[in-house]
Amino acid sequence: HNNSVIPRQRHRVTTKGSNVPECAETFEALRDRYQLSSHLMLNLSKNGYSYPTGIQSYGAPILLQGRDLAAISPTGTGKTISYLLPTFVSLRAPVASAETDAGLGVRAIILAPTRELAHQIYNECLKLAQGRKWRVVLFSKATANTFSDKAVRDKIDIIVSTPLRLVASLQSGSLSLSNVRHLIFDEADRMLDNEFLPQIEEIVAACTHPDVQKAVFSATLPANAEKIALDMLRDPIRVVVGLKDT
Ligand code: ADP
Ligand code: MG
């Protein structure tokens, strides 16, 4: 387990946007406000996550309020959990369980620029999913065939993928994104550029649910990427985490 995460006290956080929700200093505060399950709380503590990092304490409430978000926070500050935790809370229960009537089809998509990054995100997903029958799928050449069966596909909760791999599944007609409620772009500076733009636009267009929430996360957001992000996001809140004395 990597303990290199930087303590919250060293973060300087600025926010911009309308009606920014109050940050949550602790996971217990988040639980009290947004009904985090005891199972999620246990998974956080089991994995050594005692206190939220800066981006987690600011970003998670924004996502849990259903707002779009552009988050800029340095490498190693826990961006992954800042969007995965709200995603698991919002999905409430695995689609295959009797506890949700969320409809069929994947409800959350996490995009990352490389297969290696997608794999790291997938591993963080598994930490939060422990103990419940969540179906989290890391899209790859191998899994693309496994999930060509519609009955199997309809029971997926979360897909982690690169844009290219996801677009390949869309173009083969084997995947519908019409029930997606959460679309996350991680390491967005490496995806929101002119090279990836056609794929990003195809994915965004395929997420036809009117309530789809979008969020971008990055360590830096160059002007061009920021413009693409702001065109895509709806009344977003922007959070910038800096490191003090650096
Ligand atoms: P980033 O995406 O910002 O570079 P990561 O999400 O990869 O950061 O997290 C960096 C490391 O910090 C990972 O090993 C992760 O497990 C750990 N981590 C994340 N959140 C916490 C937390 N609240 N407390 C302790 N460690 C954490
Ligand atoms: Mg990251």
Side-chain angles (χ1 to χ4, degrees):
H1 176 81
N2 177 350
N3 285 318
S4 64
V5 68
I6 297 145
R8 190 164 40 101
Q9 299 81 272
R10 291 191 50 215
H11 294 160
R12 172 174 30 79
V13 183
T14 57
T15 58
K16 203 168 89 182
S18 64
N19 303 315
V20 178
E22 199 188 323
C23 73
E25 300 282 346
T26 62
F27 287 126
E28 289 71 24
L30 262 187
R31 175 197 61 200
D32 294 346
R33 243 190 279 162
Y34 300 103
Q35 283 84 49
L36 273 65
S37 66
S38 53
H39 137 267
L40 268 179
M41 294 298 285
L42 183 68
N43 285 347
L44 287 170
S45 66
K46 262 205 307 212
N47 287 289
Y49 302 162
S50 308
Y51 289 94
T53 64
I55 189 56
Q56 290 165 8
S57 64
Y58 281 81
I62 292 167
L63 292 176
L64 284 163
Q65 296 275 8
R67 297 289 301 276
D68 281 7
L69 171 64
I72 300 163
S73 185
T75 301
T77 55
K79 289 190 288 296
T80 320
I81 293 295
S82 76
Y83 61 77
L84 287 183
L85 184 62
T87 300
F88 277 97
V89 174
S90 300
L91 296 186
R92 301 192 69 82
V95 69
S97 77
E99 296 163 49
T100 177
D101 55 358
L104 294 177
V106 58
R107 286 174 292 156
I109 303 274
I110 322 285
L111 293 173
T114 67
R115 153 104 189 150
E116 290 67 33
L117 286 162
H119 202 148
Q120 286 171 27
I121 295 164
Y122 175 74
N123 285 337
E124 288 291 302
C125 278
L126 296 186
K127 292 181 187 172
L128 293 185
Q130 277 165 39
R132 296 199 79 180
K133 291 189 168 138
W134 293 105
R135 299 206 189 162
V136 182
V137 174
L138 176 64
F139 258 36
S140 69
K141 280 201 176 88
T143 55
N145 296 328
T146 317
F147 295 101
S148 61
D149 177 353
K150 185 176 184 320
V152 175
R153 228 165 42 232
D154 280 345
K155 303 238 156 52
I156 300 174
D157 295 294
I158 300 174
I159 289 173
V160 186
S161 181
T162 62
L164 266 172
R165 183 49 49 200
L166 191 67
V167 162
S169 294
L170 284 178
Q171 290 177 347
S172 73
S174 64
L175 184 70
S176 163
L177 302 187
S178 61
N179 202 26
V180 169
R181 313 301 174 90
H182 308 276
L183 177 58
I184 315 274
F185 298 83
D186 199 351
E187 308 253 345
D189 58 334
R190 295 166 66 186
M191 286 188 291
L192 302 181
D193 63 20
N194 295 333
E195 187 197 330
F196 272 117
L197 197 53
Q199 288 143 42
I200 298 300
E201 283 176 340
E202 184 167 348
I203 292 166
V204 169
C207 296
T208 51
H209 195 282
D211 296 333
V212 62
Q213 176 185 45
K214 301 188 204 79
V216 306
F217 287 81
S218 201
T220 60
L221 208 51
N224 186 46
E226 173 141 15
K227 189 190 173 301
I228 293 171
L230 293 180
D231 284 348
M232 182 172 77
L233 302 177
R234 189 164 48 175
D235 186 24
I237 295 173
R238 191 171 182 276
V239 175
V240 180
V241 176
L243 298 181
K244 281 191 177 135
D245 312 318
T246 55

Short mmCIF file of all heavy atoms in Angstrom, two decimals, residues 73-81 83 117 120-121 186-187 217-219, ligand 2:
data_model
loop_
_atom_site.label_atom_id
_atom_site.label_comp_id
_atom_site.label_asym_id
_atom_site.label_seq_id
_atom_site.Cartn_x
_atom_site.Cartn_y
_atom_site.Cartn_z
N SER A 73 -5.69 18.74 -9.42
CA SER A 73 -5.03 18.40 -8.16
C SER A 73 -3.77 17.59 -8.49
O SER A 73 -3.81 16.70 -9.36
CB SER A 73 -6.00 17.60 -7.29
OG SER A 73 -5.45 17.34 -6.02
N PRO A 74 -2.66 17.87 -7.80
CA PRO A 74 -1.39 17.24 -8.18
C PRO A 74 -1.43 15.72 -8.09
O PRO A 74 -2.26 15.13 -7.40
CB PRO A 74 -0.38 17.81 -7.16
CG PRO A 74 -1.01 19.05 -6.64
CD PRO A 74 -2.49 18.82 -6.68
N THR A 75 -0.49 15.10 -8.78
CA THR A 75 -0.32 13.65 -8.75
C THR A 75 -0.11 13.18 -7.31
O THR A 75 0.59 13.83 -6.54
CB THR A 75 0.88 13.25 -9.63
OG1 THR A 75 0.61 13.72 -10.96
CG2 THR A 75 1.09 11.75 -9.64
N GLY A 76 -0.75 12.09 -6.93
CA GLY A 76 -0.58 11.52 -5.61
C GLY A 76 -1.49 12.10 -4.55
O GLY A 76 -1.32 11.83 -3.35
N THR A 77 -2.48 12.90 -4.94
CA THR A 77 -3.37 13.52 -3.95
C THR A 77 -4.72 12.80 -3.85
O THR A 77 -5.66 13.32 -3.25
CB THR A 77 -3.61 15.01 -4.27
OG1 THR A 77 -4.11 15.12 -5.61
CG2 THR A 77 -2.33 15.81 -4.14
N GLY A 78 -4.82 11.60 -4.42
CA GLY A 78 -6.04 10.80 -4.21
C GLY A 78 -7.22 11.18 -5.09
O GLY A 78 -8.37 11.04 -4.68
N LYS A 79 -6.94 11.58 -6.32
CA LYS A 79 -8.03 11.96 -7.21
C LYS A 79 -8.97 10.77 -7.49
O LYS A 79 -10.18 10.95 -7.61
CB LYS A 79 -7.47 12.50 -8.54
CG LYS A 79 -6.81 13.87 -8.40
CD LYS A 79 -6.48 14.51 -9.73
CE LYS A 79 -5.33 13.87 -10.48
NZ LYS A 79 -4.03 14.00 -9.77
N THR A 80 -8.40 9.57 -7.58
CA THR A 80 -9.22 8.41 -7.95
C THR A 80 -10.39 8.20 -6.99
O THR A 80 -11.55 8.10 -7.40
CB THR A 80 -8.35 7.13 -8.01
OG1 THR A 80 -7.09 7.46 -8.60
CG2 THR A 80 -9.02 6.05 -8.81
N ILE A 81 -10.08 8.16 -5.69
CA ILE A 81 -11.14 7.96 -4.69
C ILE A 81 -12.11 9.15 -4.68
O ILE A 81 -13.29 9.00 -4.38
CB ILE A 81 -10.53 7.71 -3.29
CG1 ILE A 81 -9.77 6.37 -3.28
CG2 ILE A 81 -11.60 7.71 -2.19
CD1 ILE A 81 -10.62 5.14 -3.48
N TYR A 83 -13.50 10.62 -7.06
CA TYR A 83 -14.67 10.39 -7.92
C TYR A 83 -15.27 8.99 -7.77
O TYR A 83 -16.46 8.80 -7.99
CB TYR A 83 -14.37 10.71 -9.40
CG TYR A 83 -13.26 9.89 -10.05
CD1 TYR A 83 -13.47 8.59 -10.47
CD2 TYR A 83 -12.00 10.44 -10.25
CE1 TYR A 83 -12.47 7.84 -11.07
CE2 TYR A 83 -10.98 9.71 -10.84
CZ TYR A 83 -11.21 8.40 -11.25
OH TYR A 83 -10.21 7.67 -11.83
N LEU A 117 -3.16 3.12 -16.80
CA LEU A 117 -3.90 3.98 -15.88
C LEU A 117 -5.29 3.41 -15.61
O LEU A 117 -5.76 3.44 -14.47
CB LEU A 117 -4.00 5.40 -16.45
CG LEU A 117 -2.69 6.19 -16.37
CD1 LEU A 117 -2.74 7.39 -17.32
CD2 LEU A 117 -2.44 6.66 -14.94
N GLN A 120 -4.98 0.78 -12.99
CA GLN A 120 -4.83 1.33 -11.63
C GLN A 120 -6.18 1.77 -11.07
O GLN A 120 -6.48 1.55 -9.89
CB GLN A 120 -3.87 2.53 -11.64
CG GLN A 120 -2.41 2.15 -11.82
CD GLN A 120 -1.53 3.38 -12.03
OE1 GLN A 120 -1.87 4.48 -11.57
NE2 GLN A 120 -0.42 3.21 -12.71
N ILE A 121 -6.98 2.42 -11.90
CA ILE A 121 -8.30 2.88 -11.47
C ILE A 121 -9.19 1.68 -11.12
O ILE A 121 -9.89 1.68 -10.11
CB ILE A 121 -8.95 3.75 -12.58
CG1 ILE A 121 -8.14 5.03 -12.78
CG2 ILE A 121 -10.40 4.05 -12.25
CD1 ILE A 121 -8.44 5.76 -14.08
N ASP A 186 -10.40 10.86 -16.38
CA ASP A 186 -9.23 10.99 -15.50
C ASP A 186 -8.00 11.27 -16.36
O ASP A 186 -7.95 10.87 -17.52
CB ASP A 186 -9.04 9.71 -14.69
CG ASP A 186 -8.16 9.93 -13.46
OD1 ASP A 186 -7.58 11.03 -13.33
OD2 ASP A 186 -8.07 9.01 -12.64
N GLU A 187 -7.03 11.97 -15.79
CA GLU A 187 -5.85 12.43 -16.56
C GLU A 187 -6.36 13.13 -17.83
O GLU A 187 -5.92 12.84 -18.95
CB GLU A 187 -4.92 11.27 -16.89
CG GLU A 187 -4.53 10.46 -15.66
CD GLU A 187 -3.10 10.67 -15.20
OE1 GLU A 187 -2.29 11.23 -15.96
OE2 GLU A 187 -2.79 10.28 -14.05
N PHE A 217 -10.79 15.21 -14.31
CA PHE A 217 -9.75 15.24 -13.28
C PHE A 217 -8.40 15.27 -13.95
O PHE A 217 -8.18 14.57 -14.94
CB PHE A 217 -9.86 14.00 -12.39
CG PHE A 217 -11.03 14.04 -11.47
CD1 PHE A 217 -12.29 13.70 -11.94
CD2 PHE A 217 -10.90 14.45 -10.16
CE1 PHE A 217 -13.39 13.78 -11.10
CE2 PHE A 217 -11.99 14.52 -9.31
CZ PHE A 217 -13.23 14.19 -9.79
N SER A 218 -7.50 16.07 -13.39
CA SER A 218 -6.18 16.15 -13.98
C SER A 218 -5.22 16.80 -13.00
O SER A 218 -5.63 17.46 -12.05
CB SER A 218 -6.26 16.98 -15.26
OG SER A 218 -5.17 16.68 -16.09
N ALA A 219 -3.92 16.58 -13.22
CA ALA A 219 -2.93 17.29 -12.41
C ALA A 219 -2.72 18.69 -12.97
O ALA A 219 -2.43 19.62 -12.23
CB ALA A 219 -1.62 16.51 -12.39
MG MG B 2 -4.68 9.56 -10.96
#
